[in-house]
Amino acid sequence: MLSPGLLETAERFDDWRARSRVAAVGDAVVVAVGAVIVLVVGVDDVVSWFGDRVLLDHRRLAGTMGWVLPPVWLWLIVSLAPVVVRHGALAPEHRLSKRVLFRRAYAPTARAGAALGGLLLACVVIVAGGFVAGAAKGEVRGTAASGYQLSVQGTAGWQPLTPAEYRHWSAELVRLDGLFLAFGFGAVALGSVVRRARRTDLFTALPAQ
């Protein structure tokens, strides 16, 4: 059984989110950032399939994700935590009612559902296509003047590369970065959930445990 203090804190936080312009803007920003991640990572991955070209190399892409993803997912976790707490406080005999209300609040409209389904399918196809084209985990470094080097799992130290090999390995590293699409899609999907939950009281008329 949840402590009354924890439940009260969760309810107050949900009430604040329902009224707060900051929460509304934050939710919208999370969804927008997730969409940008999907767009940038997806395009970079697909471009790499043709002629080993990349728009953003692995180091820049991974570095950017390292800065962007933590605050986005921290916002999502904090926003969803009170919902989980309040869900756990509901009486077991209202399980069916909980499902109905959660479906209304979390399940998007038919149009939004189709859009999310299409986005998920596109992400899966891009990731699968990248792995089929060839993906690798490692690092490349260097310039045309100083020469190029490669370090991948299973090799010792840095190996010299020709310019053509450098482009090839850069493309393979970017294709593995296609896995960032999962985080981008998750931000879009869960960001939409917290936006909908902020506008809908899931727990009206359901007694606590």
Side-chain angles (χ1 to χ4, degrees):
M1 182 176 180
L2 296 173
S3 68
L6 181 60
L7 180 58
E8 182 180 356
T9 299
E11 290 173 344
R12 287 181 177 178
F13 186 74
D14 270 353
D15 290 341
W16 172 82
R17 279 184 49 81
R19 300 189 307 268
S20 172
R21 187 177 297 273
V22 173
V25 172
D27 293 345
V29 168
V30 163
V31 174
V33 170
V36 171
I37 290 173
V38 170
L39 178 64
V40 171
V41 175
V43 170
D44 205 16
D45 195 325
V46 172
V47 167
S48 75
W49 302 353
F50 308 97
D52 288 336
R53 296 188 300 268
V54 297
L55 301 179
L56 288 175
D57 63 25
H58 163 69
R59 181 166 295 182
R60 289 183 180 179
L61 190 58
T64 301
M65 294 300 106
W67 283 101
V68 171
L69 289 177
V72 165
W73 280 85
L74 178 61
W75 179 274
L76 288 171
I77 291 170
V78 170
S79 299
L80 287 171
V83 177
V84 174
V85 170
R86 296 182 69 185
H87 178 275
L90 293 176
E93 60 266 22
H94 293 278
R95 194 164 298 164
L96 180 60
S97 298
K98 286 193 296 182
R99 289 173 182 167
V100 171
L101 289 182
F102 269 71
R103 189 179 303 117
R104 290 175 182 172
Y106 284 88
T109 63
R111 182 178 300 178
L116 279 179
L119 184 62
L120 176 60
L121 178 61
C123 290
V124 171
V125 169
I126 291 172
V127 171
F131 276 86
V132 170
K137 182 177 182 179
E139 291 284 343
V140 290
R141 68 183 185 185
T143 63
S146 63
Y148 300 108
Q149 293 179 310
L150 165 73
S151 175
V152 295
Q153 287 184 330
T155 63
W158 292 86
Q159 309 298 320
L161 296 175
T162 65
E165 290 172 334
Y166 174 80
R167 290 192 298 271
H168 171 77
W169 282 102
S170 293
E172 292 216 353
L173 298 180
V174 163
R175 291 169 197 150
L176 186 64
D177 289 336
L179 294 174
F180 285 125
L181 287 170
F183 295 97
F185 175 80
V188 172
L190 291 180
S192 300
V193 166
V194 297
R195 291 185 71 189
R196 193 171 298 109
R198 187 180 55 80
R199 299 191 296 265
T200 305
D201 187 356
L202 306 180
F203 307 98
T204 301
L206 287 181
Q209 196 165 343

